[in-house]
C-alpha cells in the first residue's frame, strides 16, 4: 500500500504574527514538525511518520492604504518519511499573502513559482491555520471564541492571553467539513487534542509550540485517519542568512521573478536507449497514437539526447502525417533544451514542408523553460530578414506570436522580461504595418503590462486595424492603467472594428457602475450591430461580480428585431439555460 502523507501536515505548520511596515521586522527561526499518521482502509491498517524541518523566514512586504503583503519561506526545508529523505522543493518556494488592512482578512496569495494546484493549496493551508492577523481586532485578556477555516473544514477556536503574556490557541470543534467529492464523503473531523501557545513581539512570533491529534473518518466508516502532530518554532537572534531567496525579492510580490519548473519539480535522471539508431527505430516501428501521453513523454524525456536525429527522418518523410503531428506536439510538451533546439531547427529549415514548420512553432509554444539564447538569436535572424519569401513571412509572424505565448508561460521570470522587451523594441523600430500588428498581438499574448504604454500609442494610429489590434492586446492585460487607455480611446473612435475591439477589451476588466453605463450606450440602436453585440458581451462579462447587469440588459429585448443582436442578448441574459 502507498504511504500516506498526513492531511493535517499542510494545515498545522507555520505561525505568523502581525504586520510591520518596517523591513527591520524581517525575522527567521528554527522550525520543526513531526507527524504520526495511522490510516485504516477497508480494515487494512498502515502507518507512517513524517517530519519537516527548516528555517522559517518572515518578511513584511508592500503596504497600501487598503492592504499589505506578508512574505514567507520555509528555507532549507527537509522532509523525511519513515526516516527516508524525500524531495518536496515546493515547500521552500517563497510565497506572499495579501491581507486587508483593517479587518485582517486574507485577500489572496502569490507564489514565486508556477506550482501544481495541490501544492499551492498546501502552502495556502500552511498560512491559514496560523493566520493571526485578524486577532489584532480582539482583546484577548478574556477568552475569545471565533470561527476559522482550514483544508478540513470550518471550526470554532478559542484564543486567550495567559498570565505569562503568551497566547493560547485551542481548537474546539469542527462545524462544517470540506468535501472533496461525493465518492469520499467525510464526517466532521474529531478533535481529540489541539492546543498551541505562542508568544509575539512587536514584529512577529518569537516562539510557537503545541500538539494536535485529530481523527478524520468517512461517512461509510471504510476510511479512518488519525494524525498526531507536534510543532515547534523558536526565533533566531542571528542575522538572516544572505542566501535566503525571500529577502532579495522585490517588495511587490507581482514583480517577483519566477523559479523555473525544473528547480521546483526536478525530474529523475533520464534513462536513454543504447543508441540514436535504437531510438529512431523504436519511433518508426511504434504506433505513436497508441501510446498514452505519459508514455510518449517519458520516452522523449529519456531519449532527449537523440532528438536532433529526428530532423533527418522528418525531412525524409519517414513518419506518416498523423503520427508526425502527434510526435511534434509531444516533443513540444516534453520541453527539454534538446526539444526546443529541434523544433527551432525544423522551423528554420526552408526545405521542409510549410505545414511541418508551422507545427513545429505550435509545439514550441508549450515551452515552460527559457529558450537557449543561441536559439532566440537564430529565430530573430530569420524573422528580421529582409529577404523572406511569402511563406517565410507568414511563418515569421507566427513565430513572433509564439514568442509572446512563451513569455506568458514564464511570466515574471527574467527570461520573459527580456523576451517581451525584445518584442517591444521591434514594435518601436519597425515601420512595417503588418509586422507592427503582429508584434502588438505578440505582446498581447505575453500579457506583460510593462509594455502597455507602448501598445497604447497605437490607439491613436491612422490605421484602424492597428488601433483594433492594440485594443485587443490591452484587453489581454486588464488593469486600471490599460483600462484608462481603452476608455479614452473609445470616446473618440469612429471605426466599427476598432470600437468592437475596445469594447471587448473593456469587458475583460471589472467595471464600475459608471463604466457599465458607458458601455451600454454602445448597445443602443444607433450603433452598428457588430458594435452592439460587442457592448452586450462586454456588459455580460460583468455578471460574475455585478448581479444587476443582467437586469440592465433586459429592457433591450423589448423592441429588438435584429437576430444577431437578439442572440447576443439571449445568451447574455439566459446563458445556457
Amino acid at each position: 500500500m502507498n504511504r500516506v502523507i498526513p492531511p493535517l501536515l499542510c494545515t498545522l505548520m507555520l505561525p505568523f504574527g502581525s504586520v510591520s511596515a518596517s523591513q527591520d521586522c524581517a525575522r527567521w527561526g528554527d522550525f520543526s514538525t513531526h507527524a504520526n499518521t495511522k490510516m485504516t482502509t477497508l480494515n487494512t491498517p498502515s502507518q507512517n511518520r513524517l517530519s519537516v524541518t527548516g528555517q522559517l523566514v518572515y518578511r513584511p512586504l508592500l503596504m497600501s492604504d487598503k492592504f499589505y503583503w506578508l512574505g514567507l519561506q520555509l528555507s532549507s526545508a527537509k522532509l523525511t518519511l519513515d526516516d527516508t529523505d524525500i524531495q518536496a522543493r515546493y515547500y521552500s518556494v517563497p510565497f506572499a499573502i495579501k491581507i486587508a488592512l483593517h479587518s485582517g482578512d486574507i485577500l489572496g496569495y502569490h507564489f514565486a513559482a508556477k506550482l501544481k494546484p495541490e501544492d499551492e493549496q498546501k502552502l495556502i493551508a500552511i498560512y491559514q491555520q496560523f493566520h493571526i492577523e485578524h486577532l489584532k481586532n480582539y482583546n484577548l485578556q478574556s477568552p475569545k471564541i471565533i470561527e476559522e477555516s482550514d483544508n478540513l473544514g470550518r471550526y470554532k477556536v478559542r484564543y486567550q492571553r495567559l498570565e505569562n503574556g503568551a497566547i493560547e490557541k485551542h481548537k474546539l470543534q469542527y462545524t462544517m467539513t470540506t468535501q472533496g467529492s461525493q465518492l469520499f464523503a467525510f464526517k466532521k473531523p474529531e478533535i481529540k487534542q489541539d492546543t498551541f501557545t505562542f508568544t509575539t513581539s512587536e514584529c512577529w512570533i518569537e516562539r510557537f509550540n503545541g500538539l494536535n491529534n485529530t481523527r478524520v473518518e468517512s461517512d461509510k466508516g471504510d476510511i479512518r485517519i488519525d494524525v498526531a502532530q507536534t510543532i515547534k518554532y523558536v526565533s533566531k537572534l542571528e542575522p538572516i542568512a544572505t542566501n535566503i531567496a525571500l529577502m532579495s525579492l522585490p517588495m511587490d510580490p507581482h514583480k517577483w521573478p519566477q523559479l523555473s519548473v525544473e528547480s521546483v519539480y526536478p525530474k529523475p535522471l533520464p534513462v536513454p536507449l543504447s543508441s540514436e539508431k535504437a531510438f529512431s527505430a523504436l519511433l518508426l516501428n511504434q504506433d505513436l497514437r497508441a501510446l498514452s501521453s505519459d508514455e510518449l513523454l517519458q520516452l522523449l524525456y529519456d531519449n532527449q539526447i537523440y532528438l536532433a536525429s529526428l530532423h533527418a527522418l522528418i525531412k525524409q518523410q519517414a513518419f506518416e502525417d498523423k503520427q508526425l503531428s502527434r510526435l511534434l506536439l509531444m516533443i513540444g510538451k516534453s520541453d527539454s533544451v534538446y526539444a526546443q533546439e529541434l523544433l527551432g531547427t525544423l522551423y528554420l529549415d526552408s526545405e521542409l514542408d510549410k505545414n511541418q514548420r508551422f507545427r513545429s512553432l505550435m509545439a514550441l509554444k508549450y515551452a515552460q523553460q527559457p529558450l537557449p539564447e543561441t536559439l532566440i538569436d537564430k529565430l530573430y535572424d530569420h524573422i528580421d530578414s529582409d529577404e523572406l519569401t511569402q511563406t517565410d513571412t507568414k511563418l515569421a509572424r507566427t513565430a513572433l506570436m509564439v514568442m509572446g505565448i512563451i513569455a506568458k508561460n514564464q511570466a515574471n521570470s527574467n527570461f520573459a522580461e527580456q523576451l517581451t522587451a525584445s518584442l517591444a523594441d521591434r514594435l518601436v523600430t519597425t515601420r512595417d504595418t503588418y509586422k507592427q500588428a503582429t508584434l502588438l498581438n505578440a505582446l498581447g499574448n505575453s500579457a506583460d503590462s510593462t509594455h502597455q504604454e507602448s501598445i497604447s500609442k497605437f490607439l491613436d494610429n491612422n490605421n484602424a486595424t492597428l488601433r483594433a489590434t492594440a485594443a485587443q492586446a490591452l484587453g489581454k492585460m486588464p488593469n486600471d492603467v490599460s483600462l484608462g487607455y481603452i476608455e479614452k480611446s473609445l470616446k473618440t473612435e469612429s471605426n466599427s472594428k476598432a470600437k468592437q475591439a475596445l469594447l471587448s477589451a473593456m469587458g475583460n476588466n471589472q467595471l464600475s457602475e459608471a463604466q457599465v453605463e458607458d458601455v451600454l450606450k454602445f448597445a443602443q440602436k444607433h450603433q452598428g450591430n457588430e458594435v452592439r453585440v460587442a457592448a452586450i458581451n462586454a456588459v455580460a462579462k460583468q455578471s460574475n461580480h455585478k448581479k444587476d447587469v443582467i437586469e440592465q440588459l433586459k429592457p433591450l429585448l423589448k423592441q429588438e428585431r435584429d437576430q444577431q443582436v437578439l442572440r447576443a442578448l439571449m445568451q447574455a441574459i439566459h446563458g445556457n439555460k
Side-chain angles (χ1 to χ4, degrees):
M1 176 175 290
N2 294 332
R3 296 174 179 178
V4 178
I5 294 178
L8 296 183
L9 177 68
C10 302
T11 62
L12 302 175
M13 291 182 64
L14 307 182
F16 306 115
S18 297
V19 70
S20 168
S22 171
Q23 276 300 93
D24 294 337
C25 272
R27 293 290 185 268
W28 72 330
D30 294 319
F31 168 82
S32 63
T33 180
H34 306 281
N36 189 3
T37 302
K38 298 179 180 178
M39 183 172 182
T40 303
T41 306
L42 299 176
N43 297 319
T44 302
S46 63
Q47 182 172 343
N48 65 52
R49 303 181 310 280
L50 181 64
S51 296
V52 182
T53 60
Q55 307 299 313
L56 180 58
V57 188
Y58 163 94
R59 179 191 174 199
L61 298 170
L62 184 69
M63 175 178 278
S64 75
D65 58 348
K66 295 182 180 179
F67 61 85
Y68 56 87
W69 288 92
L70 303 179
L72 306 167
Q73 183 182 3
L74 185 60
S75 179
S76 303
K78 181 180 178 182
L79 280 73
T80 58
L81 182 61
D82 294 334
D83 301 319
T84 300
D85 291 344
I86 60 174
Q87 271 197 350
R89 294 189 184 180
Y90 58 84
Y91 272 109
S92 289
V93 170
F95 67 108
I97 304 91
K98 187 178 183 182
I99 306 291
L101 185 62
H102 299 296
S103 67
D105 292 339
I106 299 170
L107 301 178
Y109 297 88
H110 186 81
F111 304 89
K114 190 172 183 179
L115 298 178
K116 297 175 183 177
E118 60 269 26
D119 294 337
E120 280 191 2
Q121 289 303 314
K122 290 172 185 176
L123 293 182
I124 288 172
I126 285 172
Y127 179 75
Q128 285 178 329
Q129 177 67 19
F130 285 89
H131 169 65
I132 62 171
E133 296 299 305
H134 56 312
L135 296 185
K136 59 192 174 187
N137 297 317
Y138 302 119
N139 181 355
L140 300 180
Q141 297 303 326
S142 300
K144 180 69 177 181
I145 297 176
I146 60 177
E147 284 201 358
E148 296 178 354
S149 300
D150 59 20
N151 67 336
L152 296 180
R154 193 156 183 82
Y155 57 85
K156 290 185 177 181
V157 57
R158 183 183 69 212
Y159 289 94
Q160 182 177 4
R161 191 172 296 278
L162 305 178
E163 291 183 0
N164 63 1
I167 297 173
E168 179 184 78
K169 177 180 181 179
H170 180 56
K171 191 183 291 185
L172 302 174
Q173 64 182 38
Y174 279 86
T175 59
M176 186 174 65
T177 304
T178 300
Q179 300 291 353
S181 68
Q182 294 182 352
L183 184 62
F184 296 106
F186 286 90
K187 301 176 183 177
K188 292 177 184 176
E190 178 187 350
I191 302 171
K192 296 183 177 181
Q193 183 179 353
D194 188 297
T195 303
F196 293 88
T197 59
F198 53 93
T199 58
T200 62
S201 66
E202 182 180 350
C203 289
W204 199 44
I205 286 192
E206 297 294 311
R207 288 179 173 271
F208 184 88
N209 194 32
L211 169 68
N212 169 273
N213 191 341
T214 301
R215 169 174 289 184
V216 181
E217 188 172 6
S218 65
D219 280 343
K220 297 179 180 179
D222 51 351
I223 300 175
R224 186 174 68 250
I225 305 170
D226 289 280
V227 180
Q229 184 174 19
T230 60
I231 307 167
K232 185 176 182 180
Y233 168 82
V234 180
S235 63
K236 296 162 66 76
L237 298 177
E238 297 88 348
I240 298 175
T242 57
N243 63 346
I244 300 294
L246 176 64
M247 300 308 297
S248 61
L249 293 174
M251 292 287 282
D252 183 352
H254 291 297
K255 295 182 179 179
W256 285 3
Q258 295 286 281
L259 296 168
S260 68
V261 175
E262 285 298 319
S263 67
V264 179
Y265 300 110
K267 295 180 180 179
L269 292 174
V271 184
L273 295 171
S274 59
S275 66
E276 181 180 285
K277 186 176 180 180
F279 173 60
S280 300
L282 177 62
L283 286 180
L284 291 170
N285 295 320
Q286 177 78 49
D287 182 359
L288 301 180
R289 289 170 295 175
L291 290 176
S292 70
S293 295
D294 288 343
E295 289 172 330
L296 186 48
L297 282 172
Q298 186 64 49
L299 177 63
L300 294 170
Y301 171 73
D302 283 337
N303 296 281
Q304 57 187 278
I305 58 174
Y306 303 139
L307 286 179
S309 65
L310 299 182
H311 184 189
L313 293 176
I314 292 171
K315 207 163 184 176
Q316 296 164 13
Q317 299 183 345
F319 296 97
E320 182 263 334
D321 188 65
K322 291 185 178 179
Q323 299 263 34
L324 178 58
S325 177
R326 184 160 190 257
L327 179 59
L328 289 174
L329 173 66
M330 300 310 289
I331 288 173
K333 290 187 174 183
S334 69
D335 195 28
S336 65
V337 173
Y338 300 96
Q340 295 173 353
E341 292 281 8
L342 171 63
L343 295 172
T345 300
L346 293 173
Y347 158 67
L348 294 169
D349 188 345
S350 59
E351 295 181 3
L352 270 178
D353 179 80
K354 63 181 181 181
N355 292 327
Q356 309 309 350
R357 296 172 69 191
F358 177 78
R359 286 173 175 174
S360 299
L361 287 174
M362 291 298 98
L364 193 61
K365 73 180 182 181
Y366 291 99
Q368 301 287 335
Q369 299 184 75
L371 271 59
E373 187 174 341
T374 53
L375 175 58
I376 293 178
D377 290 341
K378 290 177 183 177
L379 294 176
Y380 272 137
D381 285 344
H382 180 264
I383 291 168
D384 296 335
S385 172
D386 294 328
E387 300 178 356
L388 297 180
T389 64
Q390 185 175 3
T391 295
D392 280 338
T393 298
K394 291 180 179 179
L395 287 170
R397 292 173 190 163
T398 302
L400 285 172
M401 289 189 282
V402 166
M403 285 185 173
I405 296 171
I406 293 172
K408 184 178 182 180
N409 293 346
Q410 303 173 49
N412 300 317
S413 68
N414 290 331
F415 169 77
E417 290 176 4
Q418 293 170 3
L419 188 55
T420 57
S422 69
L423 294 170
D425 287 344
R426 283 165 171 78
L427 178 62
V428 172
T429 56
T430 185
R431 293 295 176 264
D432 183 301
T433 301
Y434 292 108
K435 195 168 185 179
Q436 287 173 330
T438 301
L439 287 162
L440 287 169
N441 276 320
L443 287 169
N445 288 343
S446 77
D448 185 352
S449 60
T450 304
H451 305 290
Q452 59 190 0
E453 182 179 357
S454 297
I455 296 170
S456 71
K457 293 177 180 178
F458 284 84
L459 294 175
D460 297 323
N461 196 279
N462 293 331
N463 187 305
T465 299
L466 287 180
R467 297 200 301 273
T469 307
Q472 292 167 352
L474 291 173
K476 294 178 181 179
M477 44 189 77
N479 60 68
D480 290 341
V481 176
S482 64
L483 180 57
Y485 293 137
I486 293 164
E487 282 188 281
K488 181 181 177 181
S489 185
L490 189 58
K491 292 176 181 178
T492 59
E493 183 57 64
S494 58
N495 180 268
S496 175
K497 290 189 179 299
K499 280 184 183 179
Q500 293 175 57
L502 287 164
L503 288 165
S504 180
M506 278 196 75
N508 291 341
N509 292 268
Q510 288 194 11
L511 303 180
S512 66
E513 297 289 346
Q515 289 166 331
V516 170
E517 290 290 342
D518 288 340
V519 173
L520 277 171
K521 293 175 184 177
F522 288 88
Q524 306 304 318
K525 284 193 173 182
H526 64 276
Q527 298 284 346
N529 288 341
E530 291 81 5
V531 172
R532 296 178 68 198
V533 169
I536 291 165
N537 291 338
V539 171
K541 290 179 183 178
Q542 306 305 305
S543 61
N544 291 331
H545 64 280
K546 288 183 181 297
K547 302 301 180 184
D548 59 335
V549 296
I550 299 302
E551 296 301 319
Q552 292 175 272
L553 288 171
K554 287 181 178 179
L556 299 178
L557 278 173
K558 294 180 180 178
Q559 296 181 335
E560 188 56 58
R561 294 293 180 267
D562 182 83
Q563 292 300 309
Q564 181 185 7
V565 179
L566 272 173
R567 281 196 297 271
L569 283 169
M570 293 298 289
Q571 178 65 30
I573 294 169
H574 300 292
N576 296 320
K577 294 178 183 178

Short mmCIF file of all heavy atoms in Angstrom, two decimals, residues 54-75:
data_model
loop_
_atom_site.label_atom_id
_atom_site.label_comp_id
_atom_site.label_asym_id
_atom_site.label_seq_id
_atom_site.Cartn_x
_atom_site.Cartn_y
_atom_site.Cartn_z
N GLY A 54 13.25 23.13 8.94
CA GLY A 54 13.79 24.19 8.10
C GLY A 54 13.90 25.49 8.86
O GLY A 54 13.62 25.57 10.05
N GLN A 55 14.30 26.52 8.13
CA GLN A 55 14.39 27.86 8.69
C GLN A 55 13.18 28.65 8.19
O GLN A 55 13.05 28.90 7.00
CB GLN A 55 15.68 28.55 8.23
CG GLN A 55 16.94 27.75 8.51
CD GLN A 55 17.13 27.49 9.98
OE1 GLN A 55 17.01 28.39 10.80
NE2 GLN A 55 17.46 26.25 10.32
N LEU A 56 12.32 29.00 9.12
CA LEU A 56 11.10 29.71 8.77
C LEU A 56 11.40 31.21 8.71
O LEU A 56 11.85 31.81 9.68
CB LEU A 56 10.02 29.43 9.80
CG LEU A 56 8.67 30.09 9.59
CD1 LEU A 56 8.08 29.71 8.26
CD2 LEU A 56 7.72 29.71 10.72
N VAL A 57 11.15 31.82 7.56
CA VAL A 57 11.50 33.22 7.33
C VAL A 57 10.24 34.04 7.08
O VAL A 57 9.35 33.63 6.34
CB VAL A 57 12.45 33.37 6.12
CG1 VAL A 57 12.98 34.80 6.02
CG2 VAL A 57 13.61 32.39 6.23
N TYR A 58 10.19 35.20 7.72
CA TYR A 58 9.05 36.12 7.62
C TYR A 58 9.57 37.50 7.21
O TYR A 58 10.58 37.97 7.74
CB TYR A 58 8.35 36.20 8.97
CG TYR A 58 7.42 37.38 9.16
CD1 TYR A 58 6.06 37.25 8.91
CD2 TYR A 58 7.90 38.59 9.65
CE1 TYR A 58 5.21 38.32 9.12
CE2 TYR A 58 7.04 39.66 9.86
CZ TYR A 58 5.69 39.52 9.59
OH TYR A 58 4.85 40.58 9.80
N ARG A 59 8.87 38.15 6.28
CA ARG A 59 9.30 39.47 5.84
C ARG A 59 8.08 40.32 5.45
O ARG A 59 7.34 39.94 4.55
CB ARG A 59 10.22 39.35 4.63
CG ARG A 59 10.71 40.67 4.08
CD ARG A 59 11.40 40.47 2.73
NE ARG A 59 11.75 41.74 2.13
CZ ARG A 59 12.02 41.91 0.84
NH1 ARG A 59 11.98 40.86 0.02
NH2 ARG A 59 12.33 43.10 0.36
N PRO A 60 7.84 41.43 6.13
CA PRO A 60 6.78 42.34 5.69
C PRO A 60 7.13 42.90 4.31
O PRO A 60 8.28 43.23 4.04
CB PRO A 60 6.80 43.45 6.74
CG PRO A 60 7.48 42.86 7.93
CD PRO A 60 8.49 41.91 7.36
N LEU A 61 6.10 43.02 3.46
CA LEU A 61 6.33 43.49 2.10
C LEU A 61 5.54 44.78 1.83
O LEU A 61 5.39 45.60 2.72
CB LEU A 61 5.95 42.38 1.11
CG LEU A 61 6.76 41.08 1.22
CD1 LEU A 61 6.12 39.99 0.37
CD2 LEU A 61 8.20 41.30 0.80
N LEU A 62 5.04 44.91 0.64
CA LEU A 62 4.36 46.13 0.20
C LEU A 62 3.13 46.43 1.05
O LEU A 62 2.36 45.54 1.39
CB LEU A 62 3.95 45.96 -1.27
CG LEU A 62 3.30 47.15 -1.96
CD1 LEU A 62 4.32 48.26 -2.16
CD2 LEU A 62 2.73 46.71 -3.30
N MET A 63 2.94 47.72 1.39
CA MET A 63 1.75 48.14 2.13
C MET A 63 1.07 49.29 1.40
O MET A 63 1.73 50.18 0.87
CB MET A 63 2.14 48.59 3.55
CG MET A 63 0.96 49.16 4.34
SD MET A 63 1.40 49.63 6.03
CE MET A 63 1.31 48.04 6.83
N SER A 64 -0.28 49.25 1.35
CA SER A 64 -1.05 50.34 0.77
C SER A 64 -2.05 50.82 1.82
O SER A 64 -2.04 50.36 2.96
CB SER A 64 -1.78 49.87 -0.49
OG SER A 64 -2.90 49.07 -0.15
N ASP A 65 -2.95 51.72 1.42
CA ASP A 65 -3.94 52.22 2.38
C ASP A 65 -5.09 51.24 2.59
O ASP A 65 -5.94 51.46 3.45
CB ASP A 65 -4.48 53.57 1.92
CG ASP A 65 -5.11 53.51 0.52
OD1 ASP A 65 -4.93 52.48 -0.16
OD2 ASP A 65 -5.78 54.47 0.11
N LYS A 66 -5.11 50.14 1.81
CA LYS A 66 -6.19 49.17 1.93
C LYS A 66 -5.72 47.76 2.29
O LYS A 66 -6.48 46.96 2.82
CB LYS A 66 -7.01 49.11 0.64
CG LYS A 66 -7.76 50.39 0.32
CD LYS A 66 -8.58 50.24 -0.95
CE LYS A 66 -9.35 51.52 -1.28
NZ LYS A 66 -10.13 51.38 -2.54
N PHE A 67 -4.47 47.43 1.96
CA PHE A 67 -3.98 46.08 2.21
C PHE A 67 -2.47 46.09 2.38
O PHE A 67 -1.81 47.11 2.15
CB PHE A 67 -4.36 45.14 1.05
CG PHE A 67 -3.76 45.56 -0.28
CD1 PHE A 67 -2.47 45.18 -0.63
CD2 PHE A 67 -4.49 46.33 -1.17
CE1 PHE A 67 -1.91 45.57 -1.84
CE2 PHE A 67 -3.93 46.73 -2.39
CZ PHE A 67 -2.64 46.35 -2.71
N TYR A 68 -1.95 44.95 2.79
CA TYR A 68 -0.50 44.78 2.86
C TYR A 68 -0.17 43.33 2.51
O TYR A 68 -1.04 42.45 2.52
CB TYR A 68 0.06 45.16 4.23
CG TYR A 68 -0.57 44.43 5.40
CD1 TYR A 68 -0.09 43.20 5.83
CD2 TYR A 68 -1.64 44.99 6.10
CE1 TYR A 68 -0.65 42.54 6.91
CE2 TYR A 68 -2.20 44.33 7.18
CZ TYR A 68 -1.71 43.11 7.59
OH TYR A 68 -2.28 42.45 8.66
N TRP A 69 1.10 43.11 2.20
CA TRP A 69 1.58 41.77 1.84
C TRP A 69 2.55 41.27 2.91
O TRP A 69 3.38 42.03 3.42
CB TRP A 69 2.30 41.78 0.50
CG TRP A 69 1.43 41.96 -0.69
CD1 TRP A 69 1.10 43.14 -1.30
CD2 TRP A 69 0.78 40.93 -1.46
NE1 TRP A 69 0.30 42.92 -2.39
CE2 TRP A 69 0.09 41.57 -2.52
CE3 TRP A 69 0.74 39.54 -1.37
CZ2 TRP A 69 -0.64 40.86 -3.46
CZ3 TRP A 69 0.00 38.83 -2.32
CH2 TRP A 69 -0.68 39.48 -3.34
N LEU A 70 2.46 39.98 3.23
CA LEU A 70 3.45 39.31 4.07
C LEU A 70 4.18 38.27 3.22
O LEU A 70 3.55 37.53 2.47
CB LEU A 70 2.76 38.58 5.24
CG LEU A 70 1.88 39.43 6.16
CD1 LEU A 70 1.27 38.53 7.23
CD2 LEU A 70 2.69 40.54 6.79
N GLY A 71 5.50 38.24 3.34
CA GLY A 71 6.29 37.26 2.61
C GLY A 71 6.74 36.14 3.53
O GLY A 71 7.13 36.39 4.68
N LEU A 72 6.70 34.91 3.04
CA LEU A 72 7.03 33.74 3.86
C LEU A 72 7.87 32.75 3.06
O LEU A 72 7.71 32.63 1.85
CB LEU A 72 5.75 33.03 4.32
CG LEU A 72 4.75 33.92 5.04
CD1 LEU A 72 3.42 33.21 5.15
CD2 LEU A 72 5.26 34.29 6.41
N GLN A 73 8.74 32.06 3.75
CA GLN A 73 9.51 30.99 3.10
C GLN A 73 10.02 30.02 4.17
O GLN A 73 10.52 30.45 5.20
CB GLN A 73 10.71 31.55 2.33
CG GLN A 73 11.49 30.46 1.57
CD GLN A 73 12.71 31.00 0.84
OE1 GLN A 73 13.02 32.18 0.92
NE2 GLN A 73 13.41 30.13 0.15
N LEU A 74 9.88 28.74 3.89
CA LEU A 74 10.50 27.71 4.72
C LEU A 74 11.80 27.32 4.03
O LEU A 74 11.84 26.41 3.20
CB LEU A 74 9.57 26.50 4.88
CG LEU A 74 10.06 25.41 5.83
CD1 LEU A 74 10.25 25.97 7.24
CD2 LEU A 74 9.09 24.24 5.87
N SER A 75 12.86 28.04 4.35
CA SER A 75 14.13 27.85 3.68
C SER A 75 14.81 26.57 4.15
O SER A 75 14.66 26.15 5.30
CB SER A 75 15.04 29.05 3.96
OG SER A 75 16.29 28.90 3.36
#
